[in-house]
Amino acid sequence: SPLSLQEENRVLQQELSRVEDLLAQSRAERDELAIKYNALSERLEQTLRLEAGEREGAESRSLAQHNIELRRLLEEEQAAYKRKLQAYQEGQPRHRSSKPSVTHPGPSAQLLQYKKKCGEVEQQLLEKATELEQERLTLDVSLEQPEEESCNELENALIRLEEEQQRGVRVPGG
């Protein structure tokens, strides 16, 4: 029995460490994306100010279509992120239920601490999703003037952003 408690404690510590690593990685990604987003937004805003009033008609429709496509891509990425988070959350109860019940007060306190830590990580992930949605809305507002060059630059930046997100969202060992 003491060996199984020690084993369970070791497994919980490993899982906690893995979740903390994911959180640190998520924070680093968020910071990096925020820097890239701010730089891109500033550049786009400057370009739009310089080019304001020079182009009309078809280019405006083209930019609106491009904006719709970017919004769709962002929504797809956000939905994929939510699905991964939900799959992770659903995997947690199965992981816990496969372990034997422990009535010893020590591991029980550790389990509560672990659950609390998981809750904090989930809350931070939800905050990140909210942040991304706010950034998406800000980007939508800033894309009102047509400018083909900035469209190409924005599309390239979005592709790089998606590649960064795909590399960062992968969960090690799962």
Side-chain angles (χ1 to χ4, degrees):
S1 180
L3 287 178
S4 88
L5 292 178
Q6 289 174 347
E7 178 63 20
E8 182 175 357
N9 188 30
R10 185 186 63 77
V11 169
L12 288 174
Q13 288 296 335
Q14 287 175 341
E15 183 66 15
L16 178 60
S17 178
R18 188 179 74 80
V19 170
E20 287 173 340
D21 290 346
L22 287 173
L23 176 61
Q25 182 181 3
S26 177
R27 284 180 180 156
E29 288 173 19
R30 182 196 63 208
D31 293 344
E32 184 179 334
L33 291 175
I35 290 168
K36 288 179 181 179
Y37 173 80
N38 288 335
L40 183 61
S41 293
E42 287 178 22
R43 188 171 175 191
L44 179 61
E45 197 173 301
Q46 289 173 353
T47 303
L48 290 175
R49 271 191 242 123
L50 293 174
E51 299 293 326
E54 290 184 14
R55 301 176 191 234
E56 298 176 359
E59 291 176 328
S60 178
R61 285 187 296 278
S62 172
L63 183 60
Q65 289 172 340
H66 185 69
N67 188 18
I68 290 168
E69 179 65 15
L70 290 176
R71 183 180 299 132
R72 184 188 63 77
L73 289 172
L74 183 59
E75 288 170 354
E76 287 175 4
E77 185 69 29
Q78 186 177 18
Y81 186 77
K82 285 180 180 179
R83 283 191 303 272
K84 288 178 183 180
L85 176 61
Q86 184 177 3
Y88 177 76
Q89 289 171 338
E90 289 172 0
Q92 291 305 307
R94 283 193 300 271
H95 180 69
R96 281 188 225 121
S97 66
S98 66
K99 295 188 179 282
S101 296
V102 178
T103 57
H104 191 271
S108 193
Q110 290 174 342
L111 185 58
L112 290 174
Q113 183 182 13
Y114 173 75
K115 285 181 181 179
K116 179 182 175 187
K117 199 70 145 169
C118 286
E120 292 171 359
V121 170
E122 289 172 5
Q123 179 62 36
Q124 290 170 346
L125 289 174
L126 290 173
E127 289 171 2
K128 183 176 180 182
T130 302
E131 247 180 67
L132 289 173
E133 178 63 18
Q134 289 173 346
E135 290 175 1
R136 180 186 69 81
L137 293 173
T138 303
L139 181 61
D140 288 348
V141 169
S142 69
L143 289 175
E144 292 177 358
Q145 294 293 325
E147 213 299 316
E148 190 170 318
E149 255 184 55
S150 64
C151 286
N152 291 336
E153 292 172 5
L154 184 58
E155 186 173 358
N156 291 336
L158 182 61
I159 290 169
R160 289 192 306 270
L161 176 64
E162 290 172 353
E163 291 170 352
E164 289 290 328
Q165 287 176 337
Q166 288 174 356
R167 278 187 276 181
V169 172
R170 291 191 184 109
V171 177

